[in-house]
Amino acid sequence: MANKILVTGGLGYIGSHCVVALCEAGYEPVIVDNHSNARASVLERLERLTGRELSCFDIDIRNRAGLETLLQREPCQGLIHLAAFKAVGESVAQPLRYYDNNVGGSVSLFDAFDAAGGGAIVFSSSATVYGDVEAKSLHENMPVQPTNPYGQTKAMIEQVLADMVRARDARSRGLALRYFNPAGAHDSAIIGEDPKDAPNNLFPIIVQVAVGQRERLTIFGEDYDTPDGTGVRDYIHVVDLAQAHVKALTVLLSGGFDAPFTALNLGTGTPYSVREVIAAFEAELSRKLPQTMGERRPGDVATLVADPSAAMAQLGWRAERGLEAMVRDAWRWAGAARQWGLWDEDT
Ligand code: UDP
């Protein structure tokens, strides 16, 4: 029988792609999602894409008793934990909400999972844990010093997980995956990034401009110490990211890590500026996108690029898709989402 894997936030952007990757690898995902940032139609589209009936439960991760009951009914050997609030600005305005949901929820979830027998835990962390660093590329033993409550919650959950799996009676092992900038969509165009609220990230904002939902794009600063003055990031295709989760889980389940806890960067190692991303969209669309130059966005850093070598060495994983594929797939997904009227209510 296939290993069951609990996926919290399994209806979200990264979670939905993880569910597909798990099915492809022969696992049986058990989705937990409270629908706080996912549309009702995601599950049905996931079932269409995977050709399977999927188990999905509307449980908040802070509901420890609910999780315990679920894990008794559906014993899971692994956990991919993605459920979280993720807006940096909102986390500054509402820190307690973030600590309660992200940190409190993770403690409740890890406790329920370990009490049910434990197993392999893969946690969705973020490059934001490195904070404002001056380095060409970031590797995992650089200091963790987040600069906002959202990043703090990710760093704290890593610590909670590390301490838990290092405890003498722990039955779990943990891996934190520090994502750089996820982008793109499944190449079927059946699932993709679909935030309920106004997006803050470059890719979905460019898509909104391209479909006419937003008048123009504002480039946040051209005076950074980067080749063209605009911010430089490490964009990673969401399908590559999802496959890394499955690799991580498989390695953990086969006892492939010596340490009870490990943190790994997930990026491509290739830097792209804001201007280069816009140019890639304009090439895909064969037209210019309306844009203006704006001020730097508070809290932004000049450059955030991964040193992805540890993930290669420890998981045998490397990103295979480049910027062109991210742009093409994001754009195809936008076409499908509009055709189905998914975004009509947002206009
Ligand atoms: N950015 C921009 N205009 C926007 C949104 C983002 O110029 O409307 C820039 C941002 O300053 C950064 C890059 O695009 O340099 C990636 O930002 P995003 O919010 O996607 O990810 P972050 O790296 O901040 O998590």
Side-chain angles (χ1 to χ4, degrees), residues 88 126 128 180-182 200-206 214 217-221 224 230-233 235 273-274 278 296-297 299-302 304:
V88 171
S126 165
T128 191
F180 280 68
N181 289 60
N200 297 305
N201 296 117
L202 184 60
F203 262 71
I205 286 175
I206 294 178
R214 186 184 285 251
L217 172 73
T218 304
I219 300 174
F220 294 148
Y224 284 107
T230 65
V232 166
R233 295 290 182 273
Y235 297 90
S273 71
V274 176
I278 298 170
R296 288 185 180 193
R297 183 171 61 177
D300 273 359
V301 300
L304 264 184

Side-chain angles (χ1 to χ4, degrees), residues 140-169:
E140 290 81 354
N141 50 15
M142 282 180 164
V144 165
Q145 44 192 16
T147 54
N148 56 66
Y150 164 72
Q152 289 286 3
T153 68
K154 291 290 172 185
M156 287 166 90
I157 300 162
E158 283 195 8
Q159 191 63 55
V160 168
L161 179 57
D163 289 344
M164 181 191 96
V165 297
R166 285 177 190 139
R168 200 156 43 95
D169 56 353

